[in-house]
Amino acid sequence: MTRLRIDFQDYAELLQLYADYAAALDSGQWDAWPGFFTDPCVYKLQPRENHERGFPLATLAFDSQGMLKDRIYGIQETLFHDPYYQRHVVGAPVVRRVDEDGRLHAEANYAVFRTRLSKESTVFNVGRTIDEVVRTPEGLKFASRLVIYDSEMIPNSLIYPI
C-alpha cells in the first residue's frame, strides 16, 4: 500500500536534499556529487521525447557511485573545455508516492543557467527530475534520479552533472 502524505520534517529534509544537491553542483563541489546517491544507484539524463515514448536511450546513464566518481574524475582530470559556471533553479519537489518502506517518489522542475567567463548568462537546460529517495543512516539520498530535459538539443557538450 502507498500513501501520498509525508510529515513536515520529512518534507523539510527532502527540500534540504534538493537544495544541497544544487548548491554542491553550482559551487563546483564535484567530489560531493556521488555522496548524494546510494550505492547502487541510478542517474540518467534523457531527452523528454525518448522518456515519453519509452525509449531507453539516455545521454548519460550511470548505475553506481563508482560510475559517478569516474565521471567526476573525467571532469577534473581528463576533459578539456571552455570553463563555465552553472546555476540551478529548482522548484519545490512534488511527492507523488511514499512506499511502505518509506521510499519517496518525487518530481521537481529545474532550469540550469550557464555563464561563460566572458559572456552573458544563457539558459542551458530545462526539464524535470523524477526521483526515488530513501532514508539512510547519513540522511536522505537519491536511489534513482532520472533527469528529463525538454529540448532534444544540448548546446555543445554536457560536461557537468545536472
Side-chain angles (χ1 to χ4, degrees):
M1 180 176 189
T2 60
R3 58 188 169 95
L4 190 53
R5 292 183 171 252
I6 65 173
D7 64 35
F8 179 78
Q9 181 62 35
D10 288 342
Y11 190 72
E13 288 181 51
L14 184 65
L15 285 172
Q16 193 66 53
L17 174 67
Y18 278 71
D20 290 345
Y21 180 94
L25 295 181
D26 289 346
S27 64
Q29 296 176 9
W30 309 122
D31 291 331
W33 183 54
F36 287 98
F37 294 86
T38 60
D39 195 19
C41 62
V42 171
Y43 176 86
K44 288 185 181 179
L45 185 74
Q46 186 178 40
R48 180 178 183 165
E49 182 179 13
N50 285 2
H51 176 73
E52 289 179 351
R53 291 182 175 191
F55 296 157
L57 184 62
T59 305
L60 295 174
F62 306 121
D63 61 13
S64 70
Q65 277 190 359
M67 292 179 79
L68 301 178
K69 290 175 183 175
D70 283 348
R71 181 64 181 185
I72 297 309
Y73 178 81
I75 290 170
Q76 294 174 325
E77 303 296 331
T78 64
L79 296 177
F80 296 99
H81 64 283
D82 187 15
Y84 61 89
Y85 301 110
Q86 59 181 21
R87 181 74 52 201
H88 290 71
V89 177
V90 180
V94 176
V95 176
R96 298 291 184 199
R97 187 172 88 230
V98 181
D99 292 343
E100 287 287 327
D101 63 359
R103 180 178 296 254
L104 302 172
H105 298 262
E107 296 181 18
N109 294 328
Y110 73 86
V112 179
F113 297 88
R114 178 171 65 181
T115 305
R116 295 222 161 130
L117 301 180
S118 62
K119 297 185 179 180
E120 69 282 351
S121 296
T122 59
V123 177
F124 176 65
N125 195 278
V126 176
R128 68 182 170 131
T129 61
I130 302 173
D131 302 308
E132 292 182 26
V133 177
V134 296
R135 183 167 301 285
T136 72
E138 297 84 33
L140 294 180
K141 292 192 177 205
F142 295 106
S144 174
R145 175 156 258 212
L146 182 55
V147 180
I148 308 297
Y149 56 93
D150 288 339
S151 173
E152 292 180 26
M153 302 296 291
I154 295 176
N156 299 332
S157 60
L158 181 70
I159 305 296
Y160 304 133
I162 299 287

